[in-house]
Amino acid sequence: MDWITIFSTTIKSAVGVETVLYGIAAIGLNVHFGYTGLLNFGQAAFMGVAGYGLAVTVVVLGMPFWAGIIFGLIAAVILAFLLGIPTLQLRADYLAIVTIAAAEIVRLVFRSVQFKDVFGGSDGHRGFTEGFYALNPYPTGNYGFNLGPIPLFFNHRTMWVITVGWVLIALACLIVHLLMKSPWGRVLKAIREDEDAVRSLGKSVFSYKMQALVLGGVIGSLGGFIYGLGYASVQPDVFGTETTFYMYTMVILGGAARVLGPVIGSMLFWVLLVLIYGVLSEAVRVGYITFMDTNQVGALRWILVGAGLILLLVYRPQGIFGDKREIAIDAR
Amino acid sequence: MRRAVIAFTAFLGGLIFLLAGPAHAGPADCQGLRGTLNFQGQPVNGARISVTTEDGKPVAEATTDAQGRWDVQVEDPGRYKVTLDVGSLPQNAEARGGTNVRTLSVYEGNCSTALFPLQPKGGGQDQGQQSDDNSAFWTRAAQLTFEGFNLGLIIALAALGLSLIYGTTGLTNFAHGELVTLGAILAYGFNAGMGLGLIPAAAIAVIVAGLLGYLQDRFFWGQLRRRGTGIIAMMIISIGVALFLRYLFLIVFGGQTEAYTQYNAQPGVQVGPISAAPKNFVAMGIELVVLIIVGIALLRTRTGKAARAVADNPALAASSGINVDRVVRIIWTSGGAIAALAGIMLGLSQNLKYTMGQEMLLLIFAGVTLGGLGTAFGALIGSLVVGLFIQVSTLWVPPELKSVGALAVLIIVLLVRPQGILGRRERIG
Amino acid sequence: MHAETMSTDRKAAALAAFKDLARDPGVPKPDPILVVDHVVRRFGGLTAVDVGHVEIQRGSITALIGPNGAGKTTFFNQLTGFDTADAGSWTFNGRSMNGVPAHKVARSGMVRTFQLTKALSRLTVLENMRLGAQKQKGENFWRALVPRVWRAQEDEITERAEELLARFKLDAKRDDFAGSLSGGQRKLLEMARALMVNPELVMLDEPMAGVNPALTQSLLGHVKDLREQGMTVLFVEHDMDMVRDISDWVIVMAQGAVIAEGPPSTIMSDQRVIDAYLGAHHDAPLSEGELEAQLQEAEAALEAEIEEETQK
């Protein structure tokens, strides 16, 4: 078994592109679900419109990179309003269904043949990242160090993406921290507990929910940019419902309504996933496991995600580090 | 409780190892072009596709298989021209808008998809005279109405269970789509794996699925309810269950599409303006009969009345001596069984895939919400509306976007009448 | 109760205002803070509320009583914007309030509590209190990001909250989660939180429901205190002893309509009230069977309505 590679990929995944992009999108989801109690099952759509906003601006309209970022952000804000104005008055479970439906609509439109000229159909778009990598301060080469026998290196492109990503995560966490300590955050948490009580105290519940939806959506959209830049492509099916479900797993794993919860959740999620996949697929390759092939190992780890989500909510709804008394989800 | 959950998880986990059958290798490394040809919801077999470089140098040719799929691998990334041989299509089919040539980029280590939407000949816009156009339109409308009714009935079967489970336990079950897939895959296992005829295979599958529904409630959801798990936590748990089952199916069943070994390619029958395979008529008959039986059971039998009472107001029902747990268990059992039936019917009219239920889940939700969450007959009507809407809307909307229309209608209905068609408004305070 | 001795002025003033009033439903008051006209709310075929005319005297404690299903809570919901009335109008301090959303109603000085207490469980008692304060700078998204802007106001709010908590004997609990409080303490917290809004009219929906008897006296004292501080109180209650004890005026609702008004000492002997409300079982709560019967009647009405609608 090639333990060196397994450990190398596992340790790298703790800070890698996937951890960054899911972590940041999960911070946005935490604003929705953890703090405000909004069951937004369409977070992937926020990532999608942002990634596509960037890609379409650069590839189809031929505009520069930064214009793409601006359009992506605007698209996320517009989506938040489109989603929020009708649905924020609905009951929690209706909101869940409507957001999931809306996200599915977004995905289906992105992948449709009808709009292939704009969104590129099921293959999506590529070739919109030059502007971003032109800003790369890292000269060509590999960066990192050897941890004993284990090499931990990223190339200059990946370095640039994850540097930007972690800066964005730090910023997002700082903003969420400041907001949730403030009276504004207090209103959000109160809405999560009981909307009618908040209304009876003279706060416009709708307005606050909308602000939370926009904030979380915009933070989520940053994850979409990181995806597009990190993988140099956007594809519609990446922004499907399962992506949102994985983010829920991360938020709950790290502890809902905790500032660093989603980030820790994303790190744990990917480390575990990569480790399990690495060990099992190596075991298959070497011949220790004979009843599965590598594809099935790939599926098996998602089975484990499902089982993990179930067990978490049953036994530790407050997350790995959470405090049982202040769990955001009413699990008892 | 702890033990029960662990036991259930272990039980499901054990299934992986018991059932992990022959490996299904997916396309691991792919660099080229591929696509799937479908015509009126059925795969097109034997259509010829040729791939050339942009300047016309031939690269490869391919023919679609029984699932309508084709695949061409290329050496170098770059721009390629894909041409669909119109002459190899079924007689009554043509490429929409006459476009049978597409130019696409192939990137290193990636496959690009070339799609050729097909439409019936004569369904086009600029053929014949006005009157011909008109009658063709109505023929198509009738055909689509029929297909929509068929789809609506399947959705209704699945929605009934979801709606009753929601009504009685408050659970918005995101794993209900997987119960649909379960039925289809079980039937496929008995049919293709064990060589049974499809009808006995389906019957066994429905019974097994009902049993699994019972066990699911007995050892899992029932235990969670007893613990007082909140409904939002349960909703997210159901997402976990959905992921768990979906990828379990991927391991057991594989990522490819399959069809039952029987009643596969039936020649169509013309009834009035509608043409369909006989299996579709039979399937619709069965669906209707089952729905009517369930409807009568809900209206007439003690258990059915009790179920409706619990769905209406669980606390009141419990205080008037109804054994809520027993009713819920019956609902889970029958809900699982009819969801499985829906899956079998779906597999019969389309094809089997491990994501087939997941893909239908939103339509089921749409049907249920449209009718009013928790009302059994609302779910029925809502589902039929959704099914009809999806199919009939393809008169004006491209078929790939037909679900978009249905989901948009779902959102709009929730805005105008959040309680659904048959639901009632809640009192505040 | 200490409030008793220093309260005589306000109480006397309130009683004086009611002294010569007729006992008819909708009788005009000398200085009404809330005037209601023809408010109607239907659920399907069931008319839950149909109030012709009612006025609430400023600076008084008015009780709203009536049998179960009389529409008291629904009436509260209409007035406070938690539900939309099918018809009617009402003014608060001369301002028309129909169609005004709940949070604006609260801002205008008309604050309610709920029959089932809505303590915000996973916020601390102090946070619950702070939430009630109005016009907070830190509740604006952008200003929230700069703690310097709102810190001073937050300290003021905290001070006021602590005073109120001390008055309601909840100061020892200030840092506990509200979810850990007992039922009675939650009622107290909810009332104290409502006071953080600085209301003119406090509307209490069954403030005594589910409260342990030891706390009842203290709650009663607090309600009387509200009047002493110049607030107007309108409350729904089933406990007739409490109504007799603290209210200055009683309004009786039955089947959605106001059927009588009068001072608490004599309202019980009013023939209309005895007929419509107390009837054969004076002072007895509805039996289980009657409750069920009422519920079934309502359900049947709804069912019929739904059937009607679907057949269209």
Side-chain angles (χ1 to χ4, degrees):
Chain A
M1 300 257 296
D2 184 2
W3 288 105
I4 301 275
T5 311
I6 293 174
F7 282 126
S8 171
T9 50
T10 302
I11 296 171
K12 276 162 70 182
S13 73
V15 294
V17 175
E18 270 172 329
T19 303
V20 170
L21 80 92
Y22 274 93
I24 200 159
I27 294 173
L29 185 65
N30 195 26
V31 171
H32 295 156
F33 168 68
Y35 289 107
T36 324
L38 296 175
L39 275 173
N40 169 22
F41 279 118
Q43 184 71 346
F46 284 102
M47 296 171 70
V49 295
Y52 269 91
L54 170 63
V56 170
T57 310
V58 175
V59 176
V60 181
L61 301 180
M63 290 166 78
F65 164 74
W66 54 265
I69 296 288
I70 291 172
F71 281 130
L73 288 172
I74 292 173
V77 173
I78 292 174
L79 177 67
F81 279 103
L82 282 180
L83 216 57
I85 290 171
T87 59
L88 288 180
Q89 326 237 18
L90 299 176
R91 259 162 40 185
D93 41 1
Y94 281 139
L95 180 72
I97 293 171
V98 170
T99 48
I100 209 172
E104 221 22 40
I105 291 178
V106 169
R107 186 180 70 89
L108 288 172
V109 169
F110 280 159
R111 82 194 306 282
S112 68
V113 176
Q114 196 77 7
F115 300 108
K116 196 169 167 101
D117 297 338
V118 186
F119 299 118
S122 58
D123 297 322
H125 275 306
R126 285 164 169 271
F128 51 86
T129 53
E130 284 91 26
F132 175 73
Y133 288 106
L135 301 171
N136 191 351
Y138 296 101
T140 310
N142 286 318
Y143 295 85
F145 57 93
N146 284 303
L147 185 75
I150 303 166
L152 301 172
F153 289 93
F154 291 108
N155 68 29
H156 60 287
R157 283 170 69 92
T158 312
M159 272 307 278
W160 178 221
V161 175
I162 60 179
T163 307
V164 171
W166 281 102
V167 168
L168 289 176
I169 284 184
L171 271 175
C173 283
L174 178 71
I175 289 173
V176 171
H177 170 79
L178 283 173
L179 286 173
M180 295 311 157
K181 281 252 173 259
S182 77
W184 187 83
R186 180 162 64 219
V187 180
L188 290 201
K189 286 182 258 182
I191 289 172
R192 179 189 72 200
E193 299 297 310
D194 195 315
E195 280 180 29
D196 283 340
V198 177
R199 242 177 235 125
S200 77
L201 297 172
K203 324 282 173 193
S204 168
V205 169
F206 179 77
S207 157
Y208 280 97
K209 279 178 160 182
M210 187 55 101
Q211 292 174 44
L213 192 66
V214 172
L215 174 69
V218 165
I219 295 176
S221 74
L222 300 178
F225 292 135
I226 299 289
Y227 181 90
L229 298 171
Y231 293 93
S233 76
V234 285
Q235 285 159 341
D237 295 342
V238 171
F239 305 113
T241 313
E242 285 192 3
T243 304
T244 307
F245 291 168
Y246 300 150
M247 283 187 260
Y248 267 90
T249 312
M250 291 166 200
V251 169
I252 293 162
L253 187 65
R258 306 182 76 79
V259 173
L260 293 176
V263 184
I264 292 166
S266 178
M267 291 170 86
L268 280 174
F269 183 90
W270 286 109
V271 163
L272 284 173
L273 221 58
V274 170
L275 181 67
I276 290 167
Y277 182 71
V279 170
L280 288 179
S281 56
E282 267 295 296
V284 169
R285 194 181 63 85
V286 180
Y288 292 157
I289 295 178
T290 50
F291 53 86
M292 281 197 293
D293 64 19
T294 6
N295 282 314
Q296 291 177 318
V297 169
L300 178 63
R301 54 185 191 157
W302 298 116
I303 292 183
L304 294 175
V305 171
L309 188 56
I310 298 169
L311 294 175
L312 256 181
L313 272 159
V314 174
Y315 295 117
R316 277 198 79 81
Q318 70 274 37
I320 302 274
F321 304 108
D323 178 346
K324 188 117 197 174
R325 285 177 311 159
E326 49 177 335
I327 41 171
I329 340 148
D330 201 5
R332 255 167 313 204
Chain B
M1 163 62 207
R2 238 188 157 81
R3 258 189 299 149
V5 170
I6 291 171
F8 178 71
T9 319
F11 163 74
L12 288 175
L15 276 179
I16 306 172
F17 297 101
L18 281 176
L19 300 177
H24 299 281
D29 292 303
C30 185
Q31 177 171 311
L33 294 148
R34 61 182 170 200
T36 308
L37 276 183
N38 278 305
F39 176 56
Q40 294 179 331
Q42 296 285 339
V44 176
N45 193 352
R48 278 191 302 280
I49 304 271
S50 59
V51 176
T52 63
T53 58
E54 221 175 350
D55 43 16
K57 261 199 319 223
V59 177
E61 294 218 348
T63 310
T64 57
D65 62 14
Q67 271 81 50
R69 289 175 309 201
W70 59 271
D71 191 340
V72 168
Q73 297 294 315
V74 297
E75 290 286 316
D76 306 305
R79 304 275 291 171
Y80 289 91
K81 203 148 75 172
V82 186
T83 312
L84 167 67
D85 181 356
V86 188
S88 64
L89 290 175
Q91 295 228 314
N92 55 339
E94 65 177 12
R96 190 200 312 277
T99 46
N100 65 329
V101 183
R102 296 195 173 272
T103 311
L104 295 117
S105 294
V106 175
Y107 297 98
E108 204 178 319
N110 263 294
C111 263
S112 297
T113 314
L115 289 179
F116 297 99
L118 303 179
Q119 67 182 19
K121 270 187 189 154
Q125 288 77 10
D126 35 36
Q127 271 189 3
Q129 294 164 335
Q130 188 64 35
S131 62
D132 276 1
D133 252 14
N134 228 351
S135 74
F137 175 87
W138 287 113
T139 311
R140 245 187 104 214
Q143 174 75 22
L144 288 170
T145 307
F146 171 78
E147 283 169 16
F149 198 58
N150 192 2
L151 179 64
L153 284 174
I154 295 177
I155 297 175
L157 281 177
L160 214 52
L162 184 76
S163 183
L164 280 171
I165 288 168
Y166 175 86
T168 46
T169 67
L171 169 68
T172 310
N173 187 10
F174 277 85
H176 204 77
E178 270 55 44
L179 300 183
V180 172
T181 318
L182 178 75
I185 289 184
L186 280 175
Y188 176 79
F190 294 124
N191 174 230
M194 294 166 61
L196 288 176
L198 183 56
I199 292 168
I204 301 172
V206 167
I207 292 168
V208 173
L211 193 66
L212 287 175
Y214 171 83
L215 293 174
Q216 216 183 114
D217 187 59
R218 177 92 169 69
F219 292 107
F220 191 67
W221 297 110
Q223 303 292 337
L224 290 178
R225 280 200 304 280
R226 198 152 308 143
R227 275 181 125 213
T229 309
I231 56 165
I232 288 173
M234 288 228 276
M235 183 192 282
I236 299 170
I237 289 173
S238 81
I239 290 173
V241 175
L243 289 176
F244 189 103
L245 292 175
R246 190 178 308 155
Y247 285 99
L248 186 64
F249 296 150
L250 175 59
I251 287 188
V252 175
F253 181 76
Q256 78 288 19
T257 30
E258 295 285 354
Y260 294 118
T261 57
Q262 254 177 313
Y263 315 115
N264 208 352
Q266 281 183 326
V269 185
Q270 194 75 25
V271 180
I274 299 156
S275 91
K279 64 176 179 183
N280 288 337
F281 292 108
V282 176
M284 281 174 79
I286 296 173
E287 286 151 20
L288 264 176
V289 167
V290 170
L291 285 172
I292 290 169
I293 290 173
V294 174
I296 291 173
L298 278 172
L299 286 174
R300 295 270 177 267
T301 66
R302 270 186 75 82
T303 311
K305 284 180 192 166
R308 284 191 305 143
V310 175
D312 208 44
N313 186 339
L316 186 65
S319 73
S320 46
I322 293 173
N323 182 346
V324 173
D325 262 347
R326 189 179 144 268
V327 169
V328 169
R329 208 146 283 164
I330 290 170
I331 285 173
W332 262 102
T333 312
S334 47
I338 50 178
L341 182 66
I344 296 166
M345 295 309 179
L346 190 66
L348 198 62
S349 76
Q350 301 172 5
N351 269 321
L352 290 95
K353 196 159 194 262
Y354 78 103
T355 52
M356 58 193 283
Q358 174 207 1
E359 279 156 15
M360 208 174 80
L361 181 68
L362 274 183
L363 303 183
I364 303 173
F365 275 153
V368 169
T369 351
L370 217 55
L373 274 180
T375 57
F377 293 105
L380 226 158
I381 295 170
S383 303
L384 286 176
V385 171
V386 168
L388 282 171
F389 183 86
I390 286 178
Q391 294 297 353
V392 175
S393 69
T394 57
L395 281 172
W396 303 278
V397 181
E400 47 169 3
L401 291 179
K402 60 189 180 185
S403 298
V404 170
L407 297 178
V409 166
L410 162 69
I411 294 175
I412 292 162
V413 167
L414 279 180
L415 302 185
V416 182
R417 198 178 156 83
Q419 69 271 37
I421 300 172
L422 288 193
R424 61 178 66 150
R425 284 171 67 160
E426 274 179 279
R427 250 187 84 177
I428 313 165
Chain C
M1 281 267 110
H2 60 101
E4 208 77 1
T5 44
M6 59 186 212
S7 72
T8 37
D9 289 359
R10 299 267 191 183
K11 176 157 191 171
L15 289 178
F18 288 118
K19 199 165 156 261
D20 298 322
L21 290 185
R23 309 293 194 247
D24 301 324
V27 61
K29 312 289 187 313
D31 181 16
I33 188 168
L34 183 68
V35 181
V36 181
D37 274 301
H38 305 292
V39 168
V40 179
R41 179 71 173 101
R42 294 189 190 86
F43 292 105
L46 188 85
T47 304
V49 170
D50 185 0
V51 171
H53 182 86
V54 150
E55 295 182 2
I56 307 294
Q57 169 69 13
R58 189 186 306 276
S60 71
I61 300 180
T62 305
L64 183 61
I65 64 170
N68 279 315
K72 302 178 302 277
T73 295
T74 314
F75 187 45
F76 256 43
N77 285 344
Q78 310 307 315
L79 296 184
T80 50
F82 278 84
D83 190 9
T84 38
D86 293 320
S89 65
W90 59 99
T91 59
F92 173 68
N93 270 336
R95 270 180 62 193
S96 171
M97 298 301 269
N98 44 332
V100 176
H103 67 276
K104 289 203 175 134
V105 172
R107 277 183 206 164
S108 72
M110 186 164 149
V111 175
R112 70 172 294 184
T113 65
F114 295 88
Q115 189 175 344
L116 301 166
T117 38
K118 293 184 184 297
L120 306 163
S121 307
R122 276 155 299 174
L123 262 56
T124 65
V125 168
L126 190 59
E127 289 282 57
N128 262 275
M129 293 295 288
R130 283 173 175 154
L131 186 72
Q134 296 302 295
K135 299 201 172 105
Q136 297 190 41
K137 293 193 185 104
E139 287 184 356
N140 172 288
F141 178 85
W142 300 107
R143 283 191 291 232
L145 288 166
V146 191
R148 229 161 6 103
V149 176
W150 48 264
R151 188 66 72 194
Q153 192 195 24
E154 181 86 344
D155 291 343
E156 279 169 35
I157 291 167
T158 308
E159 202 174 311
R160 202 152 65 81
E162 281 174 340
E163 274 169 30
L164 272 169
L165 284 178
R167 210 167 92 202
F168 281 78
K169 304 217 164 46
L170 286 169
D171 39 349
K173 300 269 182 192
R174 69 192 283 273
D175 294 321
D176 290 6
F177 285 110
S180 69
L181 300 182
S182 73
Q185 285 171 327
R186 284 184 206 203
K187 287 268 181 200
L188 283 173
L189 174 61
E190 203 182 2
M191 204 187 288
R193 193 177 63 194
L195 296 187
M196 284 297 289
V197 185
N198 276 333
E200 281 182 69
L201 172 61
V202 183
M203 300 174 68
L204 307 170
D205 198 350
E206 300 205 21
M208 297 300 155
V211 175
N212 123 30
L215 270 176
T216 318
Q217 277 311 312
S218 137
L219 255 170
L220 280 180
H222 289 305
V223 175
K224 288 183 195 161
D225 260 2
L226 300 182
R227 179 184 57 202
E228 299 330 310
Q229 286 159 14
M231 283 173 252
T232 310
V233 179
L234 175 63
F235 72 102
V236 170
E237 189 49 66
H238 281 297
D239 181 345
M240 295 316 289
D241 288 334
M242 176 187 168
V243 171
R244 266 189 222 104
D245 184 5
I246 63 168
S247 59
D248 307 321
W249 190 254
V250 179
I251 297 172
V252 188
M253 275 181 86
Q255 288 168 339
V258 172
I259 55 158
E261 294 190 38
S265 49
T266 56
I267 192 76
M268 303 310 168
S269 47
D270 189 305
Q271 197 52 46
R272 288 165 301 195
V273 178
I274 295 169
D275 286 351
Y277 170 46
L278 306 167
H281 35 263
H282 196 351
D283 263 356
L286 279 175
S287 76
E288 194 91 5
E290 284 169 298
L291 247 174
E292 206 117 324
Q294 270 190 7
L295 244 161
Q296 262 158 16
E297 207 184 306
E299 300 250 317
L302 270 171
E303 213 91 60
E305 172 78 8
I306 288 161
E307 218 124 293
E308 219 170 85
E309 267 178 46
T310 45
Q311 275 164 5
K312 270 177 201 164

